[in-house]
């Protein structure tokens, strides 16, 4: 402990007495803080390990874990931004992770959340052998990172790391995402803000040197947010909307203004679907050019794409267009439990998903089998049961139809009729990229127009992000499975969807889901977490359309998903514990979901 105390004094001196904005001074101070926190974290994990060895009570073990987690939250902005391969080893989900781009590189559960899953809820039969093994692995990772400051190299993007951490608090921290059973999340958010304050203190002289007028004001906003968290620590009763709009939003905006004054430019080496400028909820913060390489959109291309989207000649029988299954009045779904096959005599295996915000998703289809809008279009056109058309033949034949040749020439100068498959597919993708829903009543409220939501709807949002646990899978502000703060990897979940709505005699749906694409047992019956935007227009719900109303969906989650209603779903990722929502709370939750309706961007 003496060494830790000496380093603490050293860092305190560097923070309070930084003489200039010299980059070397900033780097030294940041590394010292990083090392001090990692030494403390290593000490905390060692203490937990010794408690396990000495057969301490679960109560003491949980307290040791609480202390270690609070310490780790001082490190999170460093590890998540600069050490992305190590961060999951420290605080990764208690579930096997598969790299989308390299499925062979799966990673077994490791870290604080795994330890937490062994200690919560209270369990007098905790497997001490497994717990000790988990602690030992975490010990080794933490000790190695603490001893090697070279793995952390602060650069000019350090303040972007702070911004990401503010996004992480907003979309993950206050939902209890990484502390679902222990319910430590609100105090941990305060620890994270404390770390952000330390970093900004180190940069304060640099901010002044660059003409930032009130750098101390940013830190005062952080302190106000910390105090709010410490004074309102009831997880279920926490007013998340007030915290976001009154504390986090102003903080994000102030930090963004300071970064702009300091000449910050975007870190192009780092993916970000939502810009790290302004607020997480800013209307112009989305980047639709992140996923697919060439995401350019032109007015002429969109016009051609819309015409093709509504063109029945794309199908083999000349009767079905894309719009035949994706009706604009149903938020580009079809209102059916399962879509009809082209012959109109049988049903397709799954419910038709909305196309709103399809461009803001890396994973497409319920089983995440495609990562490109272009490839999605080609697959649907060629599917024997959907359109049954050859994309080459159908698209090229259309060039001979009135109007298409001129539209093609305008949208793609130089395109050769008869060899225009790529351009025609691309134009449909362009049209799909215009279907962005991001200006609903919720969005307008969180941006400052506080007349757009009622008290009941705000209460529903607080439930969504808190007690009801919806926000731990449907992440704000996209409200789908794209994980913050970069919104790149889109998660799939196993929730135990039944085959019918009969909860008295439940039978599990037989659709294997994503395991048919990636053959890992934990992906059995796993499906992409869809967006909840425009959800009131997209009934019926789930991949098989089993639930006709939002009330049925809410009650299914309230009861703990498939396991909660009695199904045998050993790999269910949704907690099986009942939520205990009252009738009034379920009504408020539904009311909030209605505030996510926005079809104003339809062309």
């Amino acid at each position: 402990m003496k060494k830790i105390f000496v380093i603490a004094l050293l860092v305190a001196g560097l923070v309070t007495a930084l003489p200039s904005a010299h980059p070397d001074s900033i780097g030294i101070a940041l590394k010292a803080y990083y090392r001090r926190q990692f030494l403390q974290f290593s000490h905390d994990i060692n203490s937990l390990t010794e408690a396990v060895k000495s057969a301490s009570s679960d109560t003491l073990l949980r307290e040791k874990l609480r202390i270690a987690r609070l310490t780790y939250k001082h490190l999170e902005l460093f590890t998540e931004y600069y050490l992305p391969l190590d961060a999951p080893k420290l605080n990764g989900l208690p579930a096997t992770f598969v790299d989308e781009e390299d499925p062979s590189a799966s990673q077994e559960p490791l870290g604080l959340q795994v330890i937490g899953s062994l200690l919560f809820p209270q369990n007098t039969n905790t497997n001490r052998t497994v717990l000790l093994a988990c602690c030992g692995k975490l010990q080794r990772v933490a000790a190695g990172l603490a001893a090697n400051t070279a793995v952390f190299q602060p650069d000019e993007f350090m303040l972007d790391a702070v911004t990401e951490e503010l996004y992480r608090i907003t979309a993950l921290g206050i939902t209890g995402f990484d502390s679902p059973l222990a319910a430590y999340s609100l105090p941990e958010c305060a620890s994270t803000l404390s770390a952000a304050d330390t970093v900004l203190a180190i940069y304060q002289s640099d901010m002044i040197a660059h003409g930032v007028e009130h750098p101390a004001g940013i830190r005062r906003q952080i302190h106000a947010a910390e105090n709010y968290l410490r004074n309102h620590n009831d997880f279920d009763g926490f007013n998340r909307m007030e915290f976001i709009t009154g504390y986090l939003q102003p903080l994000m905006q102030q930090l963004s203004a300071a970064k702009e004054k300091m000449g910050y430019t975007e870190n192009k080496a780092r993916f970000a679907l939502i810009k790290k400028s302004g607020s997480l909820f800013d209307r112009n913060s989305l980047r639709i050019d992140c996923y697919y390489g060439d995401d350019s959109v032109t007015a002429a291309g969109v016009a051609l794409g819309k015409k093709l989207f509504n063109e029945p000649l794309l199908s083999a029988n000349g009767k079905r267009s894309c719009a035949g299954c994706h009706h604009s009045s149903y938020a580009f779904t079809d209102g059916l439990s399962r879509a009809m096959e082209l012959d109109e005599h049988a049903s397709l295996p799954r419910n038709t998903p909305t196309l709103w915000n399809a461009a803001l998703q890396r994973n497409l289809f319920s089983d995440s089998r495609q990562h490109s809008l272009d490839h999605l279009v080609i697959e649907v056109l060629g599917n024997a049961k959907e359109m049954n058309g050859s994309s080459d033949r159908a698209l090229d034949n259309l060039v001979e139809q009135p109007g298409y040749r001129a539209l093609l020439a305008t949208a793609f100068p130089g395109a050769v009729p008869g060899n225009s498959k790529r351009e025609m597919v691309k134009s449909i993708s362009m049209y799909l990229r215009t279907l962005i829903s991001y200006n609903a009543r919720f969005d307008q409220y969180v941006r400052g127009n506080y007349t757009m939501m009622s008290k009941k709807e705000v209460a529903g949002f607080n439930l969504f992000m808190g007690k009801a646990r919806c926000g731990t899978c449907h992440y704000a502000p996209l409200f789908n499975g794209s994980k913050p703060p970069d919104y790149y990897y889109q998660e799939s979940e196993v929730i135990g969807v039944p085959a019918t709505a009969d909860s008295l005699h439940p039978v599990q749906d037989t659709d294997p889901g994503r395991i048919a694409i990636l053959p890992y047992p934990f992906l059995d019956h796993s499906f992409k977490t869809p967006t909840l935007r425009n959800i009131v227009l997209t009934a019926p719900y789930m991949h098989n359309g089993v639930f006709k109303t939002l009330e049925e969906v809410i009650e299914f989650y309230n009861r703990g998903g498939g396991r909660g209603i009695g199904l045998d779903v050993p790999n269910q990722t949704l907690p099986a514990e009942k939520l205990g929502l009252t009738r009034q709370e379920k009504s408020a939750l539904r009311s909030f979901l209605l505030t996510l309706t926005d079809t104003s961007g339809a062309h």
Side-chain angles (χ1 to χ4, degrees), residues 371-415:
H371 304 300
S372 160
L373 285 175
D374 289 5
H375 290 160
L376 177 148
V377 171
I378 292 171
E379 179 177 332
V380 171
L381 289 177
N383 188 292
K385 295 181 179 181
E386 294 186 57
M387 301 289 276
N388 195 26
S390 162
S391 57
D392 294 310
R393 182 178 66 254
L395 292 172
D396 289 338
N397 287 342
L398 281 175
V399 176
E400 303 305 322
Q401 301 299 316
Y404 276 111
R405 183 181 291 267
L407 283 171
L408 178 64
T410 303
F412 301 98

Side-chain angles (χ1 to χ4, degrees), residues 409-590:
T410 303
F412 301 98
V416 179
N419 188 26
S420 54
K421 170 190 170 184
R422 178 183 178 278
E423 288 79 11
M424 302 291 258
V425 167
K426 184 173 177 56
S427 67
I428 297 176
S429 296
M430 283 189 187
Y431 173 63
L432 297 180
R433 289 189 193 101
T434 68
L435 301 180
I436 303 299
S437 180
Y438 205 59
N439 196 35
R441 287 195 293 117
F442 163 79
D443 302 301
Q444 295 175 52
Y445 183 97
V446 81
R447 292 169 192 154
N449 186 348
Y450 301 133
T451 67
M452 298 306 295
M453 290 176 67
S454 68
K455 288 183 179 180
K456 181 179 181 180
E457 290 165 344
V458 171
F461 171 77
N462 288 330
L463 286 163
F464 182 95
M465 297 287 280
K467 180 180 178 180
R469 307 287 183 176
C470 313
T472 60
C473 291
H474 295 273
Y475 306 115
L478 299 178
F479 298 106
N480 65 9
S482 298
K483 187 180 176 183
D486 54 19
Y487 297 91
Y488 178 69
Y489 175 76
Q490 189 160 13
E491 295 179 342
S492 294
E493 302 288 347
V494 180
I495 62 175
V497 176
T500 73
D502 182 2
S503 61
L504 296 179
H505 308 90
V507 177
Q508 187 168 2
D509 186 77
T510 57
D511 191 328
R514 195 152 175 250
I515 193 173
I517 309 303
L518 288 177
Y520 290 94
F522 60 88
L523 291 177
D524 190 24
H525 294 87
S526 174
F527 294 90
K528 183 185 73 172
T529 303
T531 183
L532 299 183
R533 287 183 173 271
N534 291 317
I535 190 171
V536 71
L537 302 175
T538 63
Y541 305 106
M542 302 299 177
H543 69 273
N544 58 359
V546 65
F547 298 130
K548 310 304 180 188
T549 67
L550 284 175
E551 287 83 358
E552 288 180 284
V553 174
I554 291 171
E555 185 57 25
F556 173 72
Y557 283 107
N558 188 43
R559 295 181 62 182
R563 288 176 59 189
I565 64 175
L567 293 176
D568 181 21
V569 193
N571 64 325
Q572 181 171 307
T573 55
L574 176 75
E577 292 76 21
K578 291 177 171 54
L579 296 173
L581 298 175
T582 67
R583 180 174 61 83
Q584 291 82 1
E585 288 173 331
K586 286 184 280 188
S587 178
L589 183 57
R590 183 187 185 282

Side-chain angles (χ1 to χ4, degrees), residues 204-234:
Q204 186 162 315
S205 60
D206 192 40
M207 290 183 177
I208 294 172
H210 283 86
V212 177
E213 294 182 1
H214 303 291
I218 303 176
R219 297 185 61 203
R220 283 195 295 271
Q221 186 67 29
I222 289 181
H223 299 160
E226 282 187 76
N227 289 334
Y228 186 91
L229 286 165
R230 299 188 195 285
N231 294 329
H232 302 81
N233 57 13
D234 173 23

Side-chain angles (χ1 to χ4, degrees), residues 134-187:
C134 291
C135 289
K137 292 176 182 177
L138 184 54
Q139 260 185 311
R140 290 188 287 274
V141 174
L145 292 172
N148 185 8
T149 58
V151 299
F152 164 61
Q153 293 292 343
D155 58 21
E156 70 272 22
F157 297 113
M158 188 71 224
L159 296 187
D160 277 355
V162 175
T163 299
E164 279 198 8
E165 200 62 20
L166 296 179
Y167 286 5
R168 189 173 286 108
I169 291 172
T170 306
L172 296 177
I174 60 176
T175 71
F177 171 79
D178 64 349
S179 185
L181 299 176
Y184 293 156
S185 59
L186 297 182

